[in-house]
Amino acid sequence: MDGAEKSRLLKRWAVEEGFHRAGVARLGPAQHGAAFVQWIERGDHARMGYLERRHEERLDPRRLLPGGRSALCVALHYAPGRTTEPEGDLWPGVARYARGDDYHDLMRRRLEAVRSRIERAFPGTASRAYVDTGPVLERDLAAAAGLGAVGKNTNLLHAEAGSWFLLGELLLDLELAPDPPVADLCGRCTRCLEACPTGALPEPYRLDSRRCISYWTIEHRGPVPATVRPLLGGWVFGCDLCQEACPLNDAPAAASDERFELPERRAALDLVGLLRLRREEYLDLFRGSAMKRARLEGLRRNAAVAMGNRGDRRYVGPLAGALADEDPTLRGHAAWALGEIGGAEAAAALEAAAPAESDPEARSEIHSALGRLASAGG
């Protein structure tokens, strides 16, 4: 069996195990390795320090698998149709990939099934599987495997599937015939750059994580800077704005995987419920969810910010209650949100909480909110 026949066989197995598409790339130095190094040197990775480590492996995946020759790259589509957009004030603020099952677990199981078939058919084959957790430049490999072309929003784009898909890869020491790369799909279009409300796409093909809603709502720990909070809008976990603006995503032809649909047990949760969520409830409700990446503290903090940005006075009561929470970060963000919503009830809650607040940062947030309300006359 030659390399082309092996490639066709492995790609067919990948689809049979539940992936929507698969492609093969030859292992070697990363095509966009220099751009990655420059991205790190500019500080565009924000405080994601793990991206600074293991550069040698990221820049040449052969270092991850001695004798590695090829990568079987897979894509799993996740976006539900627009007619199934969830209702309420929480879930539209959650990136589509995170509403259902955690893609890491799902894709790892399917990659392991593919690997088992390879090992049975080609005994002694060495392999390494990755799903967004190892030192692999996934989009670089997937682009080399013909799964799409890197777009101006830095997502991988496909002519029929848009960018609503997740990536995984199986590094192999098998000699496989690579697939041809896909030509540029963006042309002169700059919709994604124009749609980003925070300027996180300052130029084509560059993402500045320090301005990215997904970074602030998922990766960042601790208080969100007050200057950043208004830019987050109603987003609680991630952001889909640059993808929604892409014309290739207007009507993606590819089917979604049903496991990414919002499950009933979480569908009823709203911003108030998330703000009030306790650890035991969180562990039960978000078991098997990618949203655990932000941790309970981050999700509750984000809920308070979203409430402040929505400006709905029905949130005043829950936010006032959060001023007595044990988490000082949440207390500070709740104070900020009350200052944004305004009104006599919000002012009264802040004034009542101020004398008892012992945390310097939370106390400063309360006084800042009161100052804004006084300046606004409410």
Side-chain angles (χ1 to χ4, degrees):
M1 185 180 294
D2 64 18
E5 292 173 316
K6 289 178 183 177
S7 289
R8 287 193 293 271
L9 180 63
L10 268 58
K11 288 187 288 185
R12 176 166 62 82
W13 286 348
V15 173
E16 288 175 354
E17 294 299 338
F19 295 107
H20 291 103
R21 292 180 291 119
V24 172
R26 182 172 285 116
L27 290 184
Q31 181 181 355
H32 300 99
F36 172 75
V37 172
Q38 185 180 31
W39 186 73
I40 293 291
E41 290 176 345
R42 277 196 306 254
D44 285 353
H45 61 308
R47 294 186 179 179
M48 293 180 284
Y50 60 88
L51 293 171
E52 301 175 16
R53 299 189 287 271
R54 304 185 69 180
H55 265 205
E56 293 179 349
E57 290 96 331
R58 294 181 195 277
L59 298 179
D60 191 340
R62 292 175 299 184
R63 294 177 177 272
L64 294 167
L65 180 69
R69 298 181 179 183
S70 308
L72 176 66
C73 300
V74 297
L76 186 64
H77 303 149
Y78 66 85
R82 293 186 182 277
T83 56
T84 61
E85 189 71 10
E87 298 179 355
D89 61 357
L90 169 60
W91 295 106
V94 173
R96 296 183 184 193
Y97 80 85
R99 294 173 185 172
D101 290 349
D102 188 342
Y103 68 95
H104 296 92
D105 299 334
L106 179 62
M107 294 184 74
R108 278 197 204 98
R109 289 196 298 270
R110 294 182 181 181
L111 274 178
E112 288 300 326
V114 176
R115 176 154 64 180
S116 295
R117 294 177 75 163
I118 293 172
E119 290 174 348
R120 289 196 298 270
F122 307 101
T125 298
S127 62
R128 293 286 298 271
Y130 292 97
V131 181
D132 191 31
T133 52
V136 180
L137 299 183
E138 291 189 307
R139 278 167 293 186
D140 196 90
L141 266 182
L147 290 184
V150 177
K152 291 179 181 177
N153 61 1
T154 73
N155 286 302
L156 201 66
L157 306 180
H158 185 268
E160 295 179 350
S163 59
W164 302 118
F165 56 91
L166 301 158
L167 300 172
E169 48 280 331
L170 201 56
L171 308 187
L172 301 159
D173 64 358
L174 292 175
E175 188 68 54
L176 304 174
D179 286 289
V182 175
D184 172 69
L185 293 170
C186 290
R188 296 181 179 180
C189 180
T190 56
R191 279 203 215 168
C192 58
L193 279 65
E194 295 158 7
C196 180
T198 62
L201 299 168
E203 59 187 272
Y205 310 107
R206 176 190 169 193
L207 171 67
D208 186 346
S209 300
R210 293 166 295 190
R211 308 183 200 177
C212 183
I213 292 172
S214 289
Y215 167 75
W216 288 110
T217 57
I218 299 175
E219 298 291 336
H220 180 71
R221 305 292 178 241
V224 174
T227 54
V228 173
R229 296 171 200 169
L231 304 177
L232 303 185
W235 290 100
V236 174
F237 187 94
C239 174
D240 285 333
L241 290 176
C242 68
Q243 295 194 83
E244 291 173 350
C246 178
L248 293 176
N249 282 328
D250 285 348
S256 171
D257 190 294
E258 62 181 11
R259 300 197 187 193
F260 292 108
E261 299 286 350
L262 179 62
E264 289 186 11
R265 67 191 183 94
R266 287 200 290 272
L269 189 66
D270 59 11
L271 284 174
V272 171
L274 184 59
L275 184 78
R276 293 172 169 170
L277 202 63
R278 298 296 138 191
R279 186 157 301 278
E280 296 76 17
E281 300 171 294
Y282 159 77
L283 292 174
D284 179 62
L285 199 58
F286 287 96
R287 184 180 297 113
S289 166
M291 290 179 69
K292 290 181 71 175
R293 174 72 178 174
R295 305 178 184 175
L296 175 60
E297 295 79 10
L299 291 174
R300 298 177 72 206
R301 173 202 67 194
N302 297 345
V305 172
M307 288 177 173
N309 287 332
R310 284 178 173 270
D312 192 326
R313 300 234 170 150
R314 67 190 173 96
Y315 296 136
V316 169
L319 288 167
L323 293 176
D325 193 85
E326 62 182 17
D327 179 4
T329 296
L330 180 61
R331 298 199 301 269
H333 285 67
W336 174 86
L338 287 167
E340 293 298 294
I341 295 171
E345 186 181 356
L350 291 165
E351 289 170 353
E357 181 54 67
S358 59
D359 181 79
E361 291 188 10
R363 186 166 58 248
S364 176
E365 294 271 15
I366 291 174
H367 290 303
S368 176
L370 284 169
R372 297 199 311 276
L373 289 179
S375 297

